[in-house]
Amino acid sequence: LPVTHIDFSKDSPSSSCSPTNNKNSCYKLRNGAKIHHSSPGNAGKALRIDRDGPHAIIPGVNIGPRNMPHCTLMIGLYLEKIPNNRGWVFGHEQSGFDRSILMHDSRFGGNVASAVGKTWNPWTNRNNSPPIKQWIHVTAVFRQNGDSYVYLNGERSDRKVIASNSEGLRDLWIGRPHWGRHNIDG
């Protein structure tokens, strides 16, 4: 079972929300983040991040390597545009490239990547930009001191890296990390 599951197309969860059995987990919208009632392709309601600042937090989900030596993060998103050269979308970054999914960080080749405790360029067989104006599915597999990968729409990156993540924050951030100017537009 997943440790946590968020579906922003469903109504905001109540205080009795549950992180298991595919029920919506608790989340908090911060700094003006909103759930829009229509999203591209008539996909229904979705969290919209359109600038630096707005984000959502899933409180109390510890994906640090001491708690979870192996961890998989998955997210479905629609990138409107690439607004900057960082573009972190989901994770628990505190410092030093903690477990997170990145969309367009120039230090990681400007492509879909994962933060594994160091920078790396995960693709040799892809364009250097993530696709925009379409729904995509991104999965990052973290194995502390083991092979780690990132997937875009089911296609695994053709490079692997040995992850050496630090513990990170005890909350998950969606739309950006706690650092400024690392946001997506999606």
Side-chain angles (χ1 to χ4, degrees), residues 11-30:
D11 290 332
S12 184
S14 69
S15 60
S16 63
C17 53
S18 168
T20 59
N21 300 326
N22 288 328
K23 292 181 182 174
N24 243 12
S25 295
C26 297
Y27 63 85
K28 297 176 182 177
L29 300 177
R30 298 269 174 92

Side-chain angles (χ1 to χ4, degrees), residues 35-57:
I35 305 297
H36 284 237
H37 289 283
S38 62
S39 59
N42 296 317
K45 291 193 267 182
L47 173 66
R48 176 70 169 103
I49 305 297
D50 60 357
R51 66 189 182 282
D52 189 24
H55 61 281
I57 290 181

Side-chain angles (χ1 to χ4, degrees), residues 4-8 12-13 24-36 46-61 75 88-93 169-178 183-184 186:
T4 193
H5 175 264
I6 300 292
D7 183 347
F8 290 110
S12 184
N24 243 12
S25 295
C26 297
Y27 63 85
K28 297 176 182 177
L29 300 177
R30 298 269 174 92
N31 294 345
K34 295 179 182 164
I35 305 297
H36 284 237
L47 173 66
R48 176 70 169 103
I49 305 297
D50 60 357
R51 66 189 182 282
D52 189 24
H55 61 281
I57 290 181
I58 306 169
V61 179
I75 192 164
W88 291 45
V89 68
F90 179 42
H92 75 147
E93 168 68 12
L169 298 172
R170 293 186 181 265
D171 298 324
L172 294 175
W173 289 54
I174 302 172
R176 61 169 284 190
H178 76 279
N183 61 293
I184 61 162

Side-chain angles (χ1 to χ4, degrees), residues 69-128:
H70 306 302
C71 172
T72 300
L73 299 177
M74 297 186 305
I75 192 164
L77 70 149
Y78 184 97
L79 286 178
E80 289 287 345
K81 64 182 177 186
I82 297 176
N84 55 45
N85 65 350
R86 291 297 183 252
W88 291 45
V89 68
F90 179 42
H92 75 147
E93 168 68 12
Q94 183 170 18
S95 65
F97 305 119
D98 298 319
R99 291 175 168 172
S100 298
I101 294 175
L102 295 63
M103 288 292 99
H104 44 79
D105 191 309
S106 60
R107 298 167 296 182
F108 290 74
N111 204 332
V112 176
S114 56
V116 292
K118 57 191 165 201
T119 60
W120 67 301
N121 189 346
W123 303 90
T124 58
N125 66 350
R126 276 203 166 273
N127 177 324
N128 278 342

Side-chain angles (χ1 to χ4, degrees), residues 107-159:
R107 298 167 296 182
F108 290 74
N111 204 332
V112 176
S114 56
V116 292
K118 57 191 165 201
T119 60
W120 67 301
N121 189 346
W123 303 90
T124 58
N125 66 350
R126 276 203 166 273
N127 177 324
N128 278 342
S129 298
I132 60 172
K133 301 289 185 186
Q134 63 181 284
W135 283 99
I136 59 174
H137 184 266
V138 180
T139 302
V141 176
F142 300 93
R143 293 185 182 107
Q144 188 71 352
N145 301 314
D147 291 346
S148 299
Y149 301 91
V150 64
Y151 294 80
L152 174 60
N153 294 329
E155 180 184 347
R156 190 178 84 182
S157 58
D158 59 346
R159 293 186 184 176

